[in-house]
Each structure stands twice: as structure tokens, then as C-alpha cells.
Amino acid sequence: MSNFSVPGLKQESKVQSPGLAAGVTNVGEKRVANNLNIPEKDYSVEWYDSGAKNSVNLPNEFFINFVKDDKIDRDFYAQTMIERFNEDASFEFLKDPSPVKLRNKHVREKEILSHYFGLDDTQELDHLVKYRVVSNFADSIQDTSGAARVVAYRDTNEHAFKIIFLDPYHLFLPSKHKGVDKAVMMKQTYQKHSGCHLCLSKCIKN
């Protein structure tokens, strides 16, 4: 299995990664016991490569992570994600990663991944994780509700979680909301943000 190390990639400050109390086994976000077996030692959190900040618009997959030009008009969770990255270059706000399990039926999710991440070895999918991103205030009261997600890859050779792409609208792993089916939510959310054109790489400094 390839280790996806990136020559010359800047190493970010070390961040203590707590053991996983829960995980995601499918796009319905069903939680199960930790299966990543993260050791007690520190893991760094860093960008997989410079393209991880780039935005894409994939109509066939109902996925977009562009944002509105004016931050006043932006989705609250998208702007929260941008601010957290810009305020904390050490990525300490990324805590409690949850494992993501993609099965054969998850063709859509693998297509989204392929725009950022090589899928030459299917075993590499066993090391995908996701983080929730919430505001500083929500973090202080341990409120984990919110849409923004960060998808990363656990590089066991370099002992690092490498950020693959950003999902400000919770479209990569959609879930039902207030009784609305996850497939309907996915399409409604995509349509709501389909007119956004500003790349996240233009917003995130760190």
C-alpha cells in the first residue's frame, strides 16, 4: 500500500489526537466503536497537498465546496470553517476524527474523492476519517452540531492525518435532517449553493 507521502510537504505543528469514541460506517453516519486503533503518541494534522484547499463543483455527484464572494452572504458553517483555519495554523480545532467506511455501493463518494486523492489501492480507503468543524463558542460548550466537515487520510507511515478536502455543506457524507431524507437534503443543499464561485483556496491563509 502506498503511503501517499508528499515530498517537500511542510509539516504542521503536532496536534494531540484523542482516541476515537465513535465512527461512521456509511453515508447515513451510523456510529460504531473505534476501529482506527490510534496510538497514544501525537499525530500531526497537515494538508495532504496544495490542492486540498481547492474547490470543485460536481453536478453529477451533487457536490460543491465553493463559497460566496462576500463573506457576509456566506453560509454560516462555511464561514466558520474558513475562520477556524485562518485563526489556528496548528489545526488544534480538528479533534476527535471519525473513521469513514466506503463500501462498493458508494460510487458517488469515491468519485468525489478521486478529484483530490488517488484510489489506486482500495485498502487506502480504510484510513479515511472526517472531522466536524464548529465555531469557537460551540467548541467551548462541546456543541458538535453543524454542517462543516474536513475529510482526511490517516498516513500510518508518517504518523499524520492529512487533510484531503473540505466539505463546508456536509455533502460528501449527507444525512437526513429534521425528518428530510438524506438524498433529498443532498440535492436541496447542492442547489442552494450551486451558484457559489469563490474557491476556498482564496479564503484560507494557513
Short mmCIF file of all heavy atoms in Angstrom, two decimals, residues 83-134:
data_model
loop_
_atom_site.label_atom_id
_atom_site.label_comp_id
_atom_site.label_asym_id
_atom_site.label_seq_id
_atom_site.Cartn_x
_atom_site.Cartn_y
_atom_site.Cartn_z
N GLU A 83 -12.87 30.67 9.04
CA GLU A 83 -12.32 31.40 10.18
C GLU A 83 -11.50 30.50 11.09
O GLU A 83 -10.44 30.91 11.59
CB GLU A 83 -13.46 32.05 10.97
CG GLU A 83 -14.12 33.19 10.21
CD GLU A 83 -15.33 33.75 10.93
OE1 GLU A 83 -15.72 33.19 11.99
OE2 GLU A 83 -15.92 34.74 10.42
N ARG A 84 -11.95 29.28 11.31
CA ARG A 84 -11.19 28.38 12.18
C ARG A 84 -9.83 28.05 11.59
O ARG A 84 -8.81 27.99 12.30
CB ARG A 84 -11.97 27.09 12.45
CG ARG A 84 -13.25 27.22 13.24
CD ARG A 84 -13.12 27.94 14.57
NE ARG A 84 -12.21 27.37 15.52
CZ ARG A 84 -12.52 26.51 16.50
NH1 ARG A 84 -13.78 26.09 16.61
NH2 ARG A 84 -11.63 26.08 17.36
N PHE A 85 -9.78 27.82 10.29
CA PHE A 85 -8.49 27.54 9.64
C PHE A 85 -7.57 28.76 9.70
O PHE A 85 -6.37 28.63 9.93
CB PHE A 85 -8.70 27.10 8.19
CG PHE A 85 -8.90 25.63 8.03
CD1 PHE A 85 -10.17 25.11 7.81
CD2 PHE A 85 -7.83 24.75 8.10
CE1 PHE A 85 -10.37 23.75 7.66
CE2 PHE A 85 -8.02 23.38 7.96
CZ PHE A 85 -9.28 22.88 7.75
N ASN A 86 -8.13 29.94 9.49
CA ASN A 86 -7.32 31.15 9.48
C ASN A 86 -6.85 31.56 10.87
O ASN A 86 -5.82 32.22 11.02
CB ASN A 86 -8.09 32.30 8.83
CG ASN A 86 -8.19 32.15 7.32
OD1 ASN A 86 -7.39 31.44 6.71
ND2 ASN A 86 -9.17 32.80 6.73
N GLU A 87 -7.58 31.18 11.89
CA GLU A 87 -7.23 31.54 13.26
C GLU A 87 -6.26 30.56 13.91
O GLU A 87 -5.60 30.91 14.89
CB GLU A 87 -8.51 31.62 14.12
CG GLU A 87 -9.44 32.76 13.75
CD GLU A 87 -10.80 32.63 14.41
OE1 GLU A 87 -11.02 31.61 15.11
OE2 GLU A 87 -11.63 33.54 14.22
N ASP A 88 -6.16 29.36 13.38
CA ASP A 88 -5.39 28.32 14.06
C ASP A 88 -4.56 27.51 13.07
O ASP A 88 -5.01 26.52 12.52
CB ASP A 88 -6.34 27.40 14.83
CG ASP A 88 -5.63 26.35 15.66
OD1 ASP A 88 -4.38 26.35 15.66
OD2 ASP A 88 -6.31 25.53 16.29
N ALA A 89 -3.32 27.95 12.85
CA ALA A 89 -2.43 27.26 11.90
C ALA A 89 -1.98 25.91 12.40
O ALA A 89 -1.48 25.08 11.63
CB ALA A 89 -1.22 28.14 11.61
N SER A 90 -2.17 25.65 13.70
CA SER A 90 -1.77 24.35 14.26
C SER A 90 -2.86 23.30 14.13
O SER A 90 -2.65 22.13 14.43
CB SER A 90 -1.41 24.51 15.74
OG SER A 90 -2.56 24.87 16.50
N PHE A 91 -4.05 23.73 13.69
CA PHE A 91 -5.20 22.82 13.47
C PHE A 91 -5.67 22.14 14.75
O PHE A 91 -6.23 21.04 14.71
CB PHE A 91 -4.86 21.75 12.42
CG PHE A 91 -4.47 22.30 11.08
CD1 PHE A 91 -3.59 21.59 10.26
CD2 PHE A 91 -4.95 23.51 10.63
CE1 PHE A 91 -3.21 22.09 9.02
CE2 PHE A 91 -4.58 24.01 9.38
CZ PHE A 91 -3.71 23.30 8.58
N GLU A 92 -5.47 22.78 15.89
CA GLU A 92 -5.91 22.18 17.15
C GLU A 92 -7.42 22.08 17.26
O GLU A 92 -7.95 21.35 18.10
CB GLU A 92 -5.35 22.98 18.34
CG GLU A 92 -3.85 22.83 18.50
CD GLU A 92 -3.32 23.54 19.74
OE1 GLU A 92 -4.14 24.17 20.45
OE2 GLU A 92 -2.10 23.47 19.99
N PHE A 93 -8.13 22.82 16.42
CA PHE A 93 -9.59 22.76 16.43
C PHE A 93 -10.12 21.48 15.79
O PHE A 93 -11.30 21.16 15.91
CB PHE A 93 -10.19 23.98 15.73
CG PHE A 93 -9.89 24.06 14.26
CD1 PHE A 93 -10.78 23.57 13.32
CD2 PHE A 93 -8.70 24.63 13.81
CE1 PHE A 93 -10.51 23.64 11.97
CE2 PHE A 93 -8.41 24.71 12.46
CZ PHE A 93 -9.31 24.21 11.52
N LEU A 94 -9.25 20.76 15.08
CA LEU A 94 -9.65 19.49 14.48
C LEU A 94 -9.43 18.39 15.50
O LEU A 94 -8.30 17.97 15.77
CB LEU A 94 -8.84 19.23 13.20
CG LEU A 94 -9.08 20.21 12.06
CD1 LEU A 94 -8.17 19.89 10.88
CD2 LEU A 94 -10.55 20.20 11.62
N LYS A 95 -10.53 17.92 16.08
CA LYS A 95 -10.46 16.95 17.17
C LYS A 95 -11.41 15.79 16.91
O LYS A 95 -12.37 15.91 16.17
CB LYS A 95 -10.83 17.63 18.50
CG LYS A 95 -9.88 18.75 18.91
CD LYS A 95 -10.34 19.46 20.17
CE LYS A 95 -11.56 20.31 19.94
NZ LYS A 95 -11.91 21.15 21.11
N ASP A 96 -11.11 14.68 17.56
CA ASP A 96 -11.99 13.51 17.52
C ASP A 96 -12.35 13.06 16.11
O ASP A 96 -13.52 13.05 15.72
CB ASP A 96 -13.27 13.78 18.31
CG ASP A 96 -13.00 14.13 19.76
OD1 ASP A 96 -12.10 13.52 20.34
OD2 ASP A 96 -13.69 15.02 20.29
N PRO A 97 -11.36 12.68 15.30
CA PRO A 97 -11.68 12.19 13.95
C PRO A 97 -12.49 10.91 14.00
O PRO A 97 -12.27 10.05 14.85
CB PRO A 97 -10.29 11.94 13.34
CG PRO A 97 -9.40 11.66 14.52
CD PRO A 97 -9.92 12.54 15.62
N SER A 98 -13.45 10.80 13.09
CA SER A 98 -14.29 9.60 13.00
C SER A 98 -13.94 8.84 11.74
O SER A 98 -13.80 9.43 10.67
CB SER A 98 -15.77 9.99 12.93
OG SER A 98 -16.16 10.69 14.09
N PRO A 99 -13.78 7.52 11.84
CA PRO A 99 -13.46 6.73 10.63
C PRO A 99 -14.62 6.74 9.65
O PRO A 99 -15.79 6.76 10.04
CB PRO A 99 -13.20 5.32 11.18
CG PRO A 99 -13.95 5.28 12.47
CD PRO A 99 -13.91 6.67 13.04
N VAL A 100 -14.29 6.73 8.38
CA VAL A 100 -15.28 6.70 7.31
C VAL A 100 -15.11 5.41 6.52
O VAL A 100 -14.02 5.13 6.03
CB VAL A 100 -15.11 7.91 6.36
CG1 VAL A 100 -16.05 7.80 5.17
CG2 VAL A 100 -15.35 9.22 7.11
N LYS A 101 -16.17 4.65 6.42
CA LYS A 101 -16.12 3.40 5.68
C LYS A 101 -16.90 3.53 4.37
O LYS A 101 -18.11 3.77 4.38
CB LYS A 101 -16.72 2.26 6.51
CG LYS A 101 -15.89 1.89 7.74
CD LYS A 101 -14.54 1.34 7.34
CE LYS A 101 -13.76 0.90 8.56
NZ LYS A 101 -12.40 0.43 8.20
N LEU A 102 -16.22 3.40 3.25
CA LEU A 102 -16.88 3.43 1.95
C LEU A 102 -16.93 2.02 1.39
O LEU A 102 -15.91 1.36 1.28
CB LEU A 102 -16.11 4.36 0.99
CG LEU A 102 -16.03 5.82 1.40
CD1 LEU A 102 -15.31 6.62 0.30
CD2 LEU A 102 -17.41 6.42 1.65
N ARG A 103 -18.11 1.61 1.02
CA ARG A 103 -18.29 0.26 0.50
C ARG A 103 -18.49 0.31 -1.02
O ARG A 103 -18.43 1.37 -1.63
CB ARG A 103 -19.46 -0.41 1.21
CG ARG A 103 -19.35 -0.29 2.74
CD ARG A 103 -20.26 -1.22 3.47
NE ARG A 103 -20.24 -0.95 4.91
CZ ARG A 103 -19.27 -1.30 5.73
NH1 ARG A 103 -18.20 -1.94 5.27
NH2 ARG A 103 -19.34 -1.02 7.03
N ASN A 104 -18.69 -0.84 -1.62
CA ASN A 104 -18.80 -0.90 -3.08
C ASN A 104 -19.93 -0.04 -3.62
O ASN A 104 -19.84 0.51 -4.72
CB ASN A 104 -19.01 -2.36 -3.53
CG ASN A 104 -17.79 -3.21 -3.32
OD1 ASN A 104 -16.67 -2.70 -3.27
ND2 ASN A 104 -17.99 -4.53 -3.19
N LYS A 105 -20.99 0.11 -2.84
CA LYS A 105 -22.15 0.88 -3.32
C LYS A 105 -21.90 2.38 -3.31
O LYS A 105 -22.67 3.13 -3.91
CB LYS A 105 -23.38 0.56 -2.46
CG LYS A 105 -23.26 1.02 -1.02
CD LYS A 105 -24.53 0.68 -0.24
CE LYS A 105 -24.43 1.15 1.21
NZ LYS A 105 -25.66 0.86 1.96
N HIS A 106 -20.84 2.83 -2.68
CA HIS A 106 -20.59 4.26 -2.54
C HIS A 106 -19.80 4.80 -3.73
O HIS A 106 -18.71 5.37 -3.58
CB HIS A 106 -19.86 4.54 -1.22
CG HIS A 106 -20.68 4.22 -0.01
ND1 HIS A 106 -20.15 3.67 1.13
CD2 HIS A 106 -22.02 4.36 0.21
CE1 HIS A 106 -21.12 3.49 2.01
NE2 HIS A 106 -22.26 3.90 1.47
N VAL A 107 -20.36 4.64 -4.90
CA VAL A 107 -19.70 5.09 -6.14
C VAL A 107 -19.58 6.62 -6.16
O VAL A 107 -18.55 7.16 -6.56
CB VAL A 107 -20.49 4.60 -7.37
CG1 VAL A 107 -19.86 5.12 -8.66
CG2 VAL A 107 -20.54 3.08 -7.38
N ARG A 108 -20.64 7.29 -5.74
CA ARG A 108 -20.63 8.75 -5.73
C ARG A 108 -19.51 9.29 -4.86
O ARG A 108 -18.77 10.19 -5.28
CB ARG A 108 -21.98 9.26 -5.21
CG ARG A 108 -22.00 10.75 -4.92
CD ARG A 108 -23.30 11.18 -4.24
NE ARG A 108 -23.22 12.58 -3.83
CZ ARG A 108 -22.77 12.97 -2.65
NH1 ARG A 108 -22.36 12.07 -1.75
NH2 ARG A 108 -22.72 14.27 -2.35
N GLU A 109 -19.38 8.79 -3.66
CA GLU A 109 -18.38 9.28 -2.73
C GLU A 109 -16.96 9.03 -3.25
O GLU A 109 -16.07 9.88 -3.10
CB GLU A 109 -18.56 8.63 -1.36
CG GLU A 109 -19.80 9.07 -0.61
CD GLU A 109 -21.10 8.52 -1.18
OE1 GLU A 109 -21.04 7.47 -1.87
OE2 GLU A 109 -22.16 9.14 -0.97
N LYS A 110 -16.76 7.90 -3.89
CA LYS A 110 -15.44 7.60 -4.45
C LYS A 110 -15.12 8.51 -5.64
O LYS A 110 -13.96 8.88 -5.84
CB LYS A 110 -15.37 6.13 -4.87
CG LYS A 110 -15.40 5.17 -3.67
CD LYS A 110 -15.43 3.72 -4.12
CE LYS A 110 -15.56 2.78 -2.93
NZ LYS A 110 -15.64 1.36 -3.35
N GLU A 111 -16.14 8.88 -6.39
CA GLU A 111 -15.93 9.80 -7.50
C GLU A 111 -15.50 11.18 -6.97
O GLU A 111 -14.61 11.81 -7.54
CB GLU A 111 -17.21 9.93 -8.32
CG GLU A 111 -17.12 10.90 -9.49
CD GLU A 111 -16.09 10.51 -10.53
OE1 GLU A 111 -15.77 9.31 -10.63
OE2 GLU A 111 -15.58 11.42 -11.23
N ILE A 112 -16.12 11.63 -5.90
CA ILE A 112 -15.72 12.90 -5.30
C ILE A 112 -14.28 12.82 -4.81
O ILE A 112 -13.46 13.71 -5.07
CB ILE A 112 -16.66 13.27 -4.13
CG1 ILE A 112 -18.08 13.52 -4.65
CG2 ILE A 112 -16.14 14.50 -3.38
CD1 ILE A 112 -19.13 13.63 -3.56
N LEU A 113 -13.95 11.74 -4.13
CA LEU A 113 -12.59 11.55 -3.62
C LEU A 113 -11.55 11.57 -4.73
O LEU A 113 -10.45 12.08 -4.55
CB LEU A 113 -12.49 10.22 -2.88
CG LEU A 113 -12.78 10.20 -1.38
CD1 LEU A 113 -12.79 8.77 -0.88
CD2 LEU A 113 -11.76 11.02 -0.63
N SER A 114 -11.90 11.00 -5.87
CA SER A 114 -10.93 10.86 -6.96
C SER A 114 -10.44 12.20 -7.49
O SER A 114 -9.40 12.27 -8.14
CB SER A 114 -11.54 10.03 -8.11
OG SER A 114 -12.56 10.76 -8.78
N HIS A 115 -11.18 13.27 -7.22
CA HIS A 115 -10.75 14.60 -7.66
C HIS A 115 -9.66 15.17 -6.76
O HIS A 115 -9.04 16.18 -7.10
CB HIS A 115 -11.95 15.55 -7.69
CG HIS A 115 -12.89 15.28 -8.82
ND1 HIS A 115 -12.82 15.94 -10.04
CD2 HIS A 115 -13.92 14.40 -8.93
CE1 HIS A 115 -13.76 15.49 -10.84
NE2 HIS A 115 -14.44 14.56 -10.20
N TYR A 116 -9.43 14.52 -5.63
CA TYR A 116 -8.42 15.00 -4.68
C TYR A 116 -7.38 13.96 -4.31
O TYR A 116 -6.27 14.31 -3.90
CB TYR A 116 -9.11 15.43 -3.38
CG TYR A 116 -9.97 16.66 -3.48
CD1 TYR A 116 -11.34 16.57 -3.66
CD2 TYR A 116 -9.40 17.94 -3.39
CE1 TYR A 116 -12.13 17.72 -3.73
CE2 TYR A 116 -10.18 19.08 -3.46
CZ TYR A 116 -11.54 18.96 -3.63
OH TYR A 116 -12.32 20.09 -3.70
N PHE A 117 -7.73 12.70 -4.43
CA PHE A 117 -6.98 11.65 -3.74
C PHE A 117 -6.91 10.40 -4.61
O PHE A 117 -7.92 9.97 -5.16
CB PHE A 117 -7.72 11.34 -2.43
CG PHE A 117 -7.05 10.39 -1.50
CD1 PHE A 117 -5.88 10.73 -0.86
CD2 PHE A 117 -7.63 9.16 -1.22
CE1 PHE A 117 -5.28 9.85 0.04
CE2 PHE A 117 -7.06 8.29 -0.33
CZ PHE A 117 -5.88 8.64 0.30
N GLY A 118 -5.72 9.82 -4.76
CA GLY A 118 -5.57 8.61 -5.55
C GLY A 118 -6.26 7.42 -4.93
O GLY A 118 -6.23 7.23 -3.72
N LEU A 119 -6.90 6.62 -5.75
CA LEU A 119 -7.60 5.44 -5.26
C LEU A 119 -7.04 4.18 -5.90
O LEU A 119 -7.76 3.24 -6.21
CB LEU A 119 -9.10 5.56 -5.57
CG LEU A 119 -9.84 6.75 -4.95
CD1 LEU A 119 -11.29 6.74 -5.39
CD2 LEU A 119 -9.74 6.71 -3.44
N ASP A 120 -5.72 4.15 -6.08
CA ASP A 120 -5.10 3.01 -6.74
C ASP A 120 -5.21 1.74 -5.91
O ASP A 120 -5.30 0.64 -6.44
CB ASP A 120 -3.62 3.31 -7.01
CG ASP A 120 -3.44 4.45 -7.99
OD1 ASP A 120 -4.37 4.67 -8.80
OD2 ASP A 120 -2.42 5.14 -7.93
N ASP A 121 -5.16 1.86 -4.61
CA ASP A 121 -5.22 0.72 -3.70
C ASP A 121 -6.46 0.89 -2.84
O ASP A 121 -6.56 1.82 -2.04
CB ASP A 121 -3.96 0.68 -2.83
CG ASP A 121 -3.89 -0.59 -1.98
OD1 ASP A 121 -4.95 -1.22 -1.77
OD2 ASP A 121 -2.78 -0.93 -1.53
N THR A 122 -7.42 -0.03 -2.98
CA THR A 122 -8.68 0.12 -2.24
C THR A 122 -8.47 0.03 -0.73
O THR A 122 -9.30 0.54 0.03
CB THR A 122 -9.69 -0.97 -2.67
OG1 THR A 122 -9.09 -2.26 -2.50
CG2 THR A 122 -10.09 -0.79 -4.12
N GLN A 123 -7.37 -0.57 -0.28
CA GLN A 123 -7.12 -0.64 1.16
C GLN A 123 -6.89 0.74 1.75
O GLN A 123 -7.09 0.95 2.95
CB GLN A 123 -5.91 -1.53 1.44
CG GLN A 123 -6.14 -3.00 1.13
CD GLN A 123 -4.94 -3.86 1.51
OE1 GLN A 123 -4.09 -3.43 2.27
NE2 GLN A 123 -4.89 -5.06 0.97
N GLU A 124 -6.48 1.67 0.91
CA GLU A 124 -6.24 3.02 1.42
C GLU A 124 -7.53 3.67 1.91
O GLU A 124 -7.51 4.59 2.74
CB GLU A 124 -5.58 3.87 0.32
CG GLU A 124 -4.12 3.48 0.11
CD GLU A 124 -3.65 3.73 -1.31
OE1 GLU A 124 -4.44 4.20 -2.13
OE2 GLU A 124 -2.49 3.43 -1.59
N LEU A 125 -8.66 3.21 1.42
CA LEU A 125 -9.94 3.75 1.86
C LEU A 125 -10.22 3.41 3.32
O LEU A 125 -11.05 4.05 3.97
CB LEU A 125 -11.08 3.20 0.99
CG LEU A 125 -11.08 3.64 -0.47
CD1 LEU A 125 -12.19 2.93 -1.23
CD2 LEU A 125 -11.24 5.14 -0.59
N ASP A 126 -9.50 2.42 3.86
CA ASP A 126 -9.68 2.03 5.26
C ASP A 126 -9.14 3.08 6.21
O ASP A 126 -9.39 3.01 7.41
CB ASP A 126 -9.00 0.69 5.54
CG ASP A 126 -9.65 -0.46 4.80
OD1 ASP A 126 -10.85 -0.34 4.45
OD2 ASP A 126 -8.98 -1.48 4.57
N HIS A 127 -8.39 4.05 5.71
CA HIS A 127 -7.75 5.04 6.57
C HIS A 127 -8.36 6.44 6.41
O HIS A 127 -7.75 7.42 6.81
CB HIS A 127 -6.24 5.09 6.30
CG HIS A 127 -5.56 3.79 6.63
ND1 HIS A 127 -5.16 3.49 7.91
CD2 HIS A 127 -5.23 2.72 5.87
CE1 HIS A 127 -4.60 2.29 7.92
NE2 HIS A 127 -4.64 1.81 6.71
N LEU A 128 -9.55 6.51 5.86
CA LEU A 128 -10.22 7.81 5.74
C LEU A 128 -10.88 8.18 7.06
O LEU A 128 -11.43 7.33 7.77
CB LEU A 128 -11.28 7.76 4.65
CG LEU A 128 -10.80 7.59 3.21
CD1 LEU A 128 -12.00 7.49 2.28
CD2 LEU A 128 -9.91 8.76 2.80
N VAL A 129 -10.83 9.47 7.39
CA VAL A 129 -11.50 9.98 8.58
C VAL A 129 -12.18 11.30 8.24
O VAL A 129 -11.89 11.90 7.20
CB VAL A 129 -10.53 10.19 9.76
CG1 VAL A 129 -9.84 8.90 10.14
CG2 VAL A 129 -9.51 11.28 9.45
N LYS A 130 -13.05 11.73 9.11
CA LYS A 130 -13.65 13.05 8.94
C LYS A 130 -13.68 13.76 10.28
O LYS A 130 -13.76 13.14 11.35
CB LYS A 130 -15.05 12.96 8.35
CG LYS A 130 -16.12 12.46 9.29
CD LYS A 130 -17.46 12.46 8.60
CE LYS A 130 -18.57 12.03 9.56
NZ LYS A 130 -18.83 12.99 10.62
N TYR A 131 -13.58 15.07 10.21
CA TYR A 131 -13.68 15.93 11.39
C TYR A 131 -14.91 16.82 11.25
O TYR A 131 -15.25 17.25 10.14
CB TYR A 131 -12.47 16.85 11.52
CG TYR A 131 -11.14 16.18 11.76
CD1 TYR A 131 -10.34 15.81 10.68
CD2 TYR A 131 -10.67 15.96 13.05
CE1 TYR A 131 -9.10 15.22 10.88
CE2 TYR A 131 -9.43 15.38 13.26
CZ TYR A 131 -8.65 15.01 12.19
OH TYR A 131 -7.41 14.43 12.38
N ARG A 132 -15.53 17.15 12.36
CA ARG A 132 -16.55 18.20 12.39
C ARG A 132 -15.85 19.52 12.70
O ARG A 132 -14.89 19.54 13.47
CB ARG A 132 -17.59 17.92 13.47
CG ARG A 132 -18.47 16.72 13.20
CD ARG A 132 -19.33 16.41 14.42
NE ARG A 132 -20.19 15.26 14.17
CZ ARG A 132 -21.47 15.32 13.86
NH1 ARG A 132 -22.05 16.50 13.74
NH2 ARG A 132 -22.18 14.23 13.65
N VAL A 133 -16.33 20.60 12.10
CA VAL A 133 -15.80 21.93 12.39
C VAL A 133 -16.93 22.79 12.91
O VAL A 133 -17.94 22.98 12.23
CB VAL A 133 -15.17 22.57 11.14
CG1 VAL A 133 -14.61 23.95 11.49
CG2 VAL A 133 -14.07 21.69 10.57
N VAL A 134 -16.76 23.31 14.12
CA VAL A 134 -17.77 24.17 14.73
C VAL A 134 -17.10 25.47 15.18
O VAL A 134 -15.87 25.58 15.19
CB VAL A 134 -18.45 23.48 15.94
CG1 VAL A 134 -19.18 22.23 15.48
CG2 VAL A 134 -17.44 23.15 17.03
#
